[in-house]
Amino acid sequence: MTASVEDLARLVVDCGFRLHQNLGPGLLESAYEAILADQLARRGIIVERQKPIPIRYDGVELAEGFRADLLLNGQLLVELKSVERLSPLHSKQVLTYLRLLDLPLGVLINFGGATFKEGVRRIANGDLGR
């Protein structure tokens, strides 16, 4: 399936909403990740789980400095949480991953909140028109 990053973002939010609606809060993050990855793959999306994110600095490279929860079609980062409420640190984490992977957009989803809407954030890395 060929989709723009915006199409992917809409799809992941829709699938995440349905997942939260049907299962509710309280599961482990890994359970939401596995189910969401399956739901997206069934829609023809290339899903990479626990994608290594290398860090390069001053001649040193750490091949697996971080791990992104999901990378969709090589162009949209999805970071999942299952906590009572998101903190500013979670958004900074996603922005760091976007910068390291040179991606324009990420979606942060928290499945731990009472409502789905309070736990969804779009995080842009600079100009989305690039």
PDB file of all heavy atoms in Angstrom, residues 15-16 23 35 43 74 77 99 111 126:
ATOM      1  N   CYS A  15      -6.945   3.101  13.891  1.00  0.00           N
ATOM      2  CA  CYS A  15      -6.734   1.759  14.456  1.00  0.00           C
ATOM      3  C   CYS A  15      -6.516   1.831  15.971  1.00  0.00           C
ATOM      4  O   CYS A  15      -7.024   0.988  16.718  1.00  0.00           O
ATOM      5  CB  CYS A  15      -5.547   1.074  13.786  1.00  0.00           C
ATOM      6  SG  CYS A  15      -5.842   0.549  12.097  1.00  0.00           S
ATOM      7  N   GLY A  16      -5.762   2.829  16.405  1.00  0.00           N
ATOM      8  CA  GLY A  16      -5.531   2.999  17.836  1.00  0.00           C
ATOM      9  C   GLY A  16      -6.814   3.293  18.595  1.00  0.00           C
ATOM     10  O   GLY A  16      -7.045   2.758  19.682  1.00  0.00           O
ATOM     11  N   LEU A  23     -10.571  -2.690  23.776  1.00  0.00           N
ATOM     12  CA  LEU A  23      -9.826  -3.323  24.865  1.00  0.00           C
ATOM     13  C   LEU A  23      -9.707  -2.454  26.107  1.00  0.00           C
ATOM     14  O   LEU A  23      -9.457  -2.965  27.193  1.00  0.00           O
ATOM     15  CB  LEU A  23      -8.427  -3.724  24.391  1.00  0.00           C
ATOM     16  CG  LEU A  23      -8.371  -4.799  23.312  1.00  0.00           C
ATOM     17  CD1 LEU A  23      -6.934  -5.065  22.912  1.00  0.00           C
ATOM     18  CD2 LEU A  23      -9.056  -6.073  23.768  1.00  0.00           C
ATOM     19  N   ILE A  35      -0.823  -5.939  18.889  1.00  0.00           N
ATOM     20  CA  ILE A  35      -2.140  -5.913  18.246  1.00  0.00           C
ATOM     21  C   ILE A  35      -2.218  -4.801  17.207  1.00  0.00           C
ATOM     22  O   ILE A  35      -2.723  -5.009  16.096  1.00  0.00           O
ATOM     23  CB  ILE A  35      -3.251  -5.773  19.306  1.00  0.00           C
ATOM     24  CG1 ILE A  35      -3.256  -7.018  20.199  1.00  0.00           C
ATOM     25  CG2 ILE A  35      -4.608  -5.567  18.649  1.00  0.00           C
ATOM     26  CD1 ILE A  35      -4.107  -6.873  21.457  1.00  0.00           C
ATOM     27  N   ARG A  43      -3.754  -4.171   6.850  1.00  0.00           N
ATOM     28  CA  ARG A  43      -4.179  -3.118   5.920  1.00  0.00           C
ATOM     29  C   ARG A  43      -3.104  -2.816   4.872  1.00  0.00           C
ATOM     30  O   ARG A  43      -3.176  -1.814   4.173  1.00  0.00           O
ATOM     31  CB  ARG A  43      -4.549  -1.863   6.701  1.00  0.00           C
ATOM     32  CG  ARG A  43      -5.884  -2.019   7.439  1.00  0.00           C
ATOM     33  CD  ARG A  43      -6.058  -0.970   8.524  1.00  0.00           C
ATOM     34  NE  ARG A  43      -7.359  -1.042   9.153  1.00  0.00           N
ATOM     35  CZ  ARG A  43      -7.708  -1.907  10.102  1.00  0.00           C
ATOM     36  NH1 ARG A  43      -6.832  -2.815  10.508  1.00  0.00           N
ATOM     37  NH2 ARG A  43      -8.916  -1.894  10.629  1.00  0.00           N
ATOM     38  N   GLY A  74       8.461   2.786   6.604  1.00  0.00           N
ATOM     39  CA  GLY A  74       9.726   3.504   6.653  1.00  0.00           C
ATOM     40  C   GLY A  74       9.580   5.008   6.755  1.00  0.00           C
ATOM     41  O   GLY A  74      10.565   5.729   6.614  1.00  0.00           O
ATOM     42  N   LEU A  77       6.868   7.234  12.395  1.00  0.00           N
ATOM     43  CA  LEU A  77       7.228   6.664  13.679  1.00  0.00           C
ATOM     44  C   LEU A  77       6.008   6.668  14.592  1.00  0.00           C
ATOM     45  O   LEU A  77       5.283   7.667  14.653  1.00  0.00           O
ATOM     46  CB  LEU A  77       8.346   7.499  14.315  1.00  0.00           C
ATOM     47  CG  LEU A  77       8.749   7.011  15.691  1.00  0.00           C
ATOM     48  CD1 LEU A  77      10.158   6.485  15.660  1.00  0.00           C
ATOM     49  CD2 LEU A  77       8.606   8.093  16.709  1.00  0.00           C
ATOM     50  N   ARG A  99      14.299  13.057  14.869  1.00  0.00           N
ATOM     51  CA  ARG A  99      15.537  13.721  14.430  1.00  0.00           C
ATOM     52  C   ARG A  99      16.608  12.702  14.062  1.00  0.00           C
ATOM     53  O   ARG A  99      17.294  12.843  13.054  1.00  0.00           O
ATOM     54  CB  ARG A  99      16.035  14.668  15.513  1.00  0.00           C
ATOM     55  CG  ARG A  99      15.175  15.904  15.633  1.00  0.00           C
ATOM     56  CD  ARG A  99      15.633  16.804  16.735  1.00  0.00           C
ATOM     57  NE  ARG A  99      14.824  18.011  16.776  1.00  0.00           N
ATOM     58  CZ  ARG A  99      14.621  18.734  17.862  1.00  0.00           C
ATOM     59  NH1 ARG A  99      15.192  18.396  19.004  1.00  0.00           N
ATOM     60  NH2 ARG A  99      13.865  19.806  17.811  1.00  0.00           N
ATOM     61  N   PHE A 111      -2.248   4.434  25.646  1.00  0.00           N
ATOM     62  CA  PHE A 111      -3.433   3.602  25.835  1.00  0.00           C
ATOM     63  C   PHE A 111      -3.863   3.529  27.302  1.00  0.00           C
ATOM     64  O   PHE A 111      -4.852   2.888  27.616  1.00  0.00           O
ATOM     65  CB  PHE A 111      -3.175   2.184  25.305  1.00  0.00           C
ATOM     66  CG  PHE A 111      -3.165   2.108  23.815  1.00  0.00           C
ATOM     67  CD1 PHE A 111      -1.971   2.039  23.116  1.00  0.00           C
ATOM     68  CD2 PHE A 111      -4.347   2.108  23.098  1.00  0.00           C
ATOM     69  CE1 PHE A 111      -1.956   1.960  21.736  1.00  0.00           C
ATOM     70  CE2 PHE A 111      -4.352   2.043  21.713  1.00  0.00           C
ATOM     71  CZ  PHE A 111      -3.148   1.958  21.034  1.00  0.00           C
ATOM     72  N   GLY A 126      10.086  19.648  12.346  1.00  0.00           N
ATOM     73  CA  GLY A 126      10.315  20.697  11.359  1.00  0.00           C
ATOM     74  C   GLY A 126       9.164  20.817  10.381  1.00  0.00           C
ATOM     75  O   GLY A 126       8.018  20.570  10.703  1.00  0.00           O
TER      76      GLY A 126
END
